[in-house]
């Protein structure tokens, strides 16, 4: 799922390894009002507890902190405020 201030929020089936930047691209990219450095990936662990994994778009698009461009898992929600 990619929700919030993207051009095409939707559910995107993951049939191959997909990272956050790829999911944002599938959602048509960020819109003008997106808070690009406040994106979170919401993920539930095996006990059902949800955690937020921060993602700073400007870092990754600039080639920094590429380790934060994590692979998504089934059920993840990318939230773009």
């Amino acid at each position: 799922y990619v929700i919030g201030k993207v051009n095409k929020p939707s559910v995107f089936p993951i049939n191959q390894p997909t990272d956050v930047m790829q999911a944002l691209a599938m959602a048509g990219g960020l819109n003008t009002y997106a808070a690009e450095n406040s994106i979170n990936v919401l993920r539930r662990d095996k006990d059902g507890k949800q955690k937020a994994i921060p993602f700073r778009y400007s870092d990754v698009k600039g080639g920094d902190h590429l380790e934060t461009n994590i692979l998504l898992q089934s059920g993840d929600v990318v939230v773009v405020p």
Side-chain angles (χ1 to χ4, degrees):
Y1 301 87
V2 182
I3 62 171
K5 295 189 173 114
V6 292
N7 291 310
K8 298 177 196 168
S10 189
V11 176
F12 298 98
I14 296 177
N15 300 323
Q16 60 187 7
T18 304
D19 60 37
V20 179
M21 289 294 279
Q22 291 169 320
L24 292 172
M26 289 188 291
L30 306 181
N31 74 25
T32 305
Y33 304 103
E36 68 178 28
N37 291 320
S38 298
I39 297 170
N40 280 297
V41 177
L42 304 181
R43 178 175 290 167
R44 290 195 186 278
D45 65 17
K46 54 188 160 196
D47 297 325
K49 294 181 185 174
Q50 196 168 56
K51 67 177 180 176
I53 304 166
F55 179 79
R56 292 179 52 87
Y57 182 84
S58 66
D59 287 350
V60 175
K61 79 176 180 182
D64 299 319
H65 304 289
L66 297 177
E67 71 279 358
T68 64
N69 188 23
I70 60 170
L71 287 177
L72 296 172
Q73 298 177 5
S74 179
D76 282 355
V77 179
V78 180
V79 181
V80 181

